[in-house]
């Protein structure tokens, strides 16, 4: 049975992002689920929980980019589903806090105003990462992180430190936060292809 890919986009993006397109092109015989997600992290996790429950008897693999990488990691911690993390934003509260009061345009056409409530909710999600570090909740062979060394959004030294504490294998690429060239990675990188196909 072919794997089902669950693509989880980042903050401000949409289910029709380039990461979803890369999977669809590289693995055309596999089913792809790529929902539009809201700005609220609690709502995002509720939607993902529902998708996972609906596919509990099927071979699901998650792919999450940026904030979506955070959500994919949380879903792995909760359910042990394999997760490919692409430039995961593992310290979201501090990132969102810098933009409180700003109007943020999502690529799916929606618009939100970032509030302190968003910051508090992201901090709560971060606590699941901290718990996973303390309790060793990550299955190391089920999570792979791809990091862009030229990331202009995240401090990759901080992300690397957290991923190492979690026991996650890291593969570095000379690319940016958007992870330009990901389509070539899914087509040609044996480690990434094996992870997506064999878990």
């Amino acid at each position: 049975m072919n794997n089902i890919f669950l693509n989880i986009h980042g903050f401000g993006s949409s289910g029709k992002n380039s990461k979803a397109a890369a999977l669809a092109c590289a693995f055309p015989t596999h089913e792809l689920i790529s929902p539009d997600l809201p700005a609220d992290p609690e709502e995002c996790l509720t939607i993902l929980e529902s998708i996972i429950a609906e596919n509990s008897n099927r071979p699901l693999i998650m792919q999450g980019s940026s904030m979506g990488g955070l959500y994919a990691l949380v879903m792995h911690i909760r359910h042990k589903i394999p997760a490919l993390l692409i430039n995961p934003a593992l310290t979201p509260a501090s990132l969102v806090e810098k933009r409180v009061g700003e109007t943020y345009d999502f690529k799916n056409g929606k618009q939100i105003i970032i509030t302190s409530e968003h910051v508090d909710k992201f901090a709560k999600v971060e606590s699941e990462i901290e718990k996973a570090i303390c309790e060793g909740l990550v299955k190391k062979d089920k999570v792979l992180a791809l990091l862009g060394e030229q990331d202009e959004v995240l401090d990759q030294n901080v992300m690397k430190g957290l991923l190492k504490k979690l026991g996650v294998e890291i593969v570095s690429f000379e690319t940016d936060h958007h992870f330009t060239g990901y389509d070539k990675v899914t087509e040609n990188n044996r480690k990434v292809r094996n992870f997506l196909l064999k878990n």
Side-chain angles (χ1 to χ4, degrees):
M1 182 185 295
N2 286 348
N3 291 331
I4 301 169
F5 297 128
L6 171 55
N7 178 63
I8 308 172
H9 67 75
F11 194 83
S13 188
S14 77
K16 295 180 180 179
N17 67 352
S18 61
K19 312 305 183 303
L23 284 184
C25 289
F27 306 101
T29 63
H30 295 251
E31 184 178 342
L32 173 65
I33 302 171
S34 189
D36 274 353
L37 296 171
D40 185 294
E42 292 179 354
E43 292 177 19
C44 287
L45 294 174
T46 297
I47 291 168
L48 295 174
E49 288 281 6
S50 177
I51 292 170
I52 288 168
E54 290 168 5
N55 294 280
S56 60
N57 295 319
R58 306 175 74 188
L60 190 68
I61 293 184
M62 299 176 293
Q63 168 184 278
S65 56
S66 193
M67 207 73 83
L70 169 78
Y71 297 144
L73 180 58
V74 170
M75 289 296 103
H76 167 79
I77 291 166
R78 294 182 184 180
H79 302 286
K80 301 303 179 276
I81 298 167
L84 181 68
L85 315 179
I86 305 167
N87 283 334
L90 304 182
T91 55
S94 60
L95 291 174
V96 174
E97 188 173 27
K98 295 174 184 175
R99 309 195 72 156
V100 168
E102 290 185 20
T103 299
Y104 199 98
D105 294 312
F106 272 58
K107 290 182 181 176
N108 62 12
K110 294 183 179 179
Q111 191 178 72
I112 65 153
I113 296 176
I114 299 175
T115 68
S116 58
E117 186 178 8
H118 287 111
V119 178
D120 293 340
K121 288 183 177 181
F122 276 114
K124 185 177 178 181
V125 175
E126 278 187 52
S127 68
E128 293 201 44
I129 306 300
E130 294 164 6
K131 180 181 179 182
I133 291 172
C134 292
E135 299 182 14
L137 299 180
V138 169
K139 294 193 72 173
K140 297 177 183 179
D141 61 330
K142 296 291 184 184
V143 183
L144 179 66
L146 310 183
L147 299 188
E149 292 293 343
Q150 299 165 17
D151 194 318
E152 70 282 9
V153 176
L154 303 174
D155 184 335
Q156 291 296 35
N157 288 325
V158 173
M159 299 306 117
K160 286 177 185 176
L162 290 169
L163 289 166
K164 287 175 181 176
K165 287 179 181 178
L166 289 160
V168 173
E169 181 180 358
I170 299 167
V171 183
S172 294
F173 294 82
E174 289 302 319
T175 190
D176 53 8
H177 184 69
H178 180 70
F179 218 94
T180 301
Y182 183 63
D183 54 338
K184 302 301 181 186
V185 172
T186 55
E187 289 175 9
N188 303 314
N189 187 284
R190 184 172 295 178
K191 179 180 282 289
V192 172
R193 288 184 65 84
N194 286 346
F195 182 87
L196 290 168
L197 292 173
K198 290 185 177 180
N199 269 290

